[in-house]
Amino acid sequence: MNSVTLDDVLTDANLLAAWSKVRGNAGSAGVDGETIEAFEENLMANLDTLRKEVRFETYRPRPLLRVMVEKQEGSGRLRALSIPAVRDRILQTAVAQVLTPVFEAEFEEISFAYRKGRSVDQAIARVERLRDQGYRWVVDADIRAYFDNIDHARLMREVKRLVKDPAILKLIHQWITSKVRDGKQLYRLKKGVPQGSPISPLLSNLYLDHLDDELLDENLRLVRFADDFVILCKSRKKAEDALELTTEVLAALKLEINERKTRIIDFNHGFRFLGVQFIRSLAFKTKYRGMVYDFPSRDESRDLPQDTATDEPEPTEMALAFARALTERQHQETDEEESKTAPQPSRVRPDTSVYGDTEPSTQTPPPKAPTAVERRPVSSHDPRLRTLYLLRHGCVLGKRSGRLVVYLDDRVIQEIPAIKVDQVMVFGNASITTPAMQFCLGENIPIVLLSGSGRYHGVIDSFDTDPVLLHRDQFSRATDPQFCLLVAREIIRGKLANSRLLLMRHARKRDLPELGASATRIKRHIDRLDSVTSLDELRGHEGSAAKIYFGALGKLLAPRWDFSGRNKRPPTDPVNAMLSYGYTLLFHNVYALLRARGLNPHVGCLHPMRAGHPALASDMTEEFRALIVDTVVLNLLLNRGGLSASDFTLPDAPGAPCLLNAAARRKFIRAMENKFNAAITHPGTGYKIDYRRCIETQIQLYAAVVRGREESYRAMVLR
């Protein structure tokens, strides 16, 4: 993935630079009592010994020395530091120096701590800019004991995505699992990163980069300084949603929001961030030293950018008195307002759909013991499934260092960190270079090849043999007709029920009783599913209900769309062109999530197994067709700002397809991505998650059924 190796760490130049940095910090001795001055007396020999220990794999870090220091001089508040021995500090610094450029390429612009050239002042300036742009509501967040709760396994997975040299990985693992000498006690770290170690700031930023990505993907305005961050929004509702998403993302990272220190506030009521008191358009700066940096030791704070460690002039006593009085009064008003408007515990927030006609529930669902499937979906694979779409004619996807680069006419038009791509979709005459293809295969990133109109050609994908036992169970289940019938019946039940729900919503919204009549006819097919005895009979009900469903959709659309029912291969009208395009995108999102969960996409229950056809991917798309694709198509055709007839190229000869033009394809993909990321309450788990996580939850359930850990598959049916 990159060229960083142990040889880069152990060069004379890098070790001497690391030594110079450690000596400049003038820190104290570690647990072995060796001082910087003692190490320097025989510097070159000591560095050479350190190098040989690492090369011959005899290196073992000394235990960390636990000490307590004041957070701020005279404050009386203490924090624990774990100080490495001088030799370990030098080696950690040498590794950090080599890895910093690699990690920095992945970090986001909104992260300001422990990064050269970034400062508190820059973070504060971003908050002020956003405030002036109308982002007046603030999620003032705090993570409970962040540095002590970083999960080692998750952290090492993130490091391994950037660093491939096993020797460097071994060193990092040794350091984060070091023993700690605390007085007479000696114990080993089981989680967290040691505050006071030179490598820890880099690792702590990497761990929270996932949080940065998730919040930025939702177009949220984030400002983060280590574990201290604020999210700025234009409404309280947006801030509440942002806090809910943050809580979910942190849970996936095995972290918790500190509820006592986290709140939603606005600039009128005031808040404090990075030693600055914000009230309305005022910002009173206080001293930074010792108040902001809860991570590096006093010695290591010298390595931070100079403008982050300087004392700022204090505001006048009159200004501070005004700020205190205003803040206290308005905090009291906020508490009173929130107590009046707080929702009752017995009410459940209703699911929200694109139509907004779902009725709220007034009863709390009965508690139930969570199963492995019912827990909030957590995966090392990002369920949001970042997709790189190559749409422009003649563009080329290449690879440079750790980034995927898109070229057009030998000009770079976009660079994407390679670790932030989960699948690549190549449309039409776009192409991909061999190095980029090899990288994607090595990182298990499928490359989907499609025509310019979205017709599937094939997929370039590595075949991971790790989940061989799951594959064995899949093949065994596929030979059991009764198992296949039960799963397929539930899948079709979900498909028909969700299709019926879509018709019923539009029947109420647009006062079209004929849609209600069609929904009733589909319900009759649903009621007959329990009596089917074969897959052919089941497919018969599916086909009859689909004909009713698409006929009803035609009644929703204006005559200019010329939609009389479903046709494909090729689609001959704009509606069918959009449906085919959307089903293709949905199919390959499902395919990638199946691969991420270790399932064989080609072995299903409903669709017959045949060469070159991912039957299970086709199975798992069925219950989501109406919820995702059909909903997006109707939105774009029925609502203002959607698509018009000019966005399509109509067939110019019998058998020719109807095609979306380039601008329409981009608009359609954006609408699909927005839908994939829309949050709903999953009916089976009760968790509010996005549609991609819903798909992944269903995949997890299917895998559990295949393994025999769950009794039956249950389709996701919205109410």
Side-chain angles (χ1 to χ4, degrees), residues 195-217:
Q195 298 188 54
S197 293
I199 195 69
S200 293
L202 193 62
L203 298 178
S204 68
N205 260 342
L206 177 65
Y207 198 79
L208 282 184
D209 189 57
H210 178 70
L211 174 67
D212 298 345
D213 291 343
E214 294 285 3
L215 297 185
L216 292 177
D217 281 353

Side-chain angles (χ1 to χ4, degrees), residues 9-10 14-15 18-19 21-22 50 54 59 61-64 82-100 168 171-178 189 193-203 295 300:
V9 173
L10 299 179
N14 192 53
L15 287 176
W19 156 250
K21 195 169 185 179
V22 171
L50 184 61
V54 175
Y59 167 81
R62 306 279 196 270
L64 302 166
S82 300
I83 307 299
V86 171
R87 62 196 296 277
D88 298 326
R89 296 209 296 268
I90 294 169
L91 188 56
Q92 286 192 31
T93 303
V95 171
Q97 289 175 160
V98 170
L99 294 186
T100 292
I168 296 178
L171 289 174
I172 293 173
H173 187 264
Q174 285 180 315
W175 291 328
I176 64 175
T177 59
S178 291
L189 293 174
V193 294
Q195 298 188 54
S197 293
I199 195 69
S200 293
L202 193 62
L203 298 178
F295 198 100
E300 290 159 346

Side-chain angles (χ1 to χ4, degrees), residues 161 381-382 384-386 420-424 444-446:
R161 298 179 73 181
H381 181 92
D382 185 355
R384 290 175 185 265
L385 200 66
R386 294 181 179 88
K420 299 180 181 180
V421 175
D422 295 311
Q423 65 174 344
V424 178
N444 204 22
I445 300 172

Side-chain angles (χ1 to χ4, degrees), residues 512-533:
L512 292 172
E514 55 265 47
L515 265 65
S518 296
T520 300
R521 294 171 62 195
I522 293 175
K523 178 66 165 56
R524 295 193 190 105
H525 284 283
I526 296 174
D527 293 340
R528 295 171 189 160
L529 294 181
D530 287 333
S531 62
V532 300
T533 57

Side-chain angles (χ1 to χ4, degrees), residues 144-162:
R144 189 185 306 276
Y146 168 59
F147 303 108
D148 295 331
N149 286 302
I150 292 175
D151 181 72
H152 288 169
R154 171 105 193 190
L155 175 60
M156 289 307 300
R157 283 200 300 269
E158 293 299 319
V159 174
K160 287 176 182 177
R161 298 179 73 181
L162 293 169

Side-chain angles (χ1 to χ4, degrees), residues 499-500 502-504 506-507 510 512-522 544-557 563-566 634:
S499 299
R500 177 175 177 269
L502 185 61
L503 294 183
M504 292 172 63
H506 278 284
R510 301 180 183 277
L512 292 172
E514 55 265 47
L515 265 65
S518 296
T520 300
R521 294 171 62 195
I522 293 175
S544 298
K547 187 175 181 179
I548 297 169
Y549 170 71
F550 286 115
L553 286 190
K555 296 180 174 62
L556 271 171
L557 302 171
F563 179 72
S564 57
R566 183 79 175 109
L634 290 175

Side-chain angles (χ1 to χ4, degrees), residues 139 141 143 208 210-222 229 231-233 236-257 262 264 349 376-378 382-384 386 676-680 687-693:
V139 179
I143 303 174
L208 282 184
H210 178 70
L211 174 67
D212 298 345
D213 291 343
E214 294 285 3
L215 297 185
L216 292 177
D217 281 353
E218 292 297 323
N219 201 29
L220 293 171
R221 301 314 193 259
L222 170 68
F229 62 94
I231 308 167
L232 292 92
C233 305
R236 184 180 183 91
K237 176 62 168 60
K238 290 286 188 183
E240 290 171 348
D241 292 342
L243 178 56
E244 185 174 1
L245 174 62
T246 300
T247 303
E248 291 179 3
V249 175
L250 290 177
L253 293 172
K254 299 187 178 180
L255 299 171
E256 294 180 356
I257 281 282
T262 298
I264 294 175
R349 180 182 295 181
R376 189 180 305 275
V378 176
D382 185 355
R384 290 175 185 265
R386 294 181 179 88
F676 276 129
N677 293 329
I680 63 166
Y687 288 121
K688 189 172 184 180
I689 52 179
D690 59 67
Y691 272 103
R692 277 205 178 96
R693 284 188 173 92

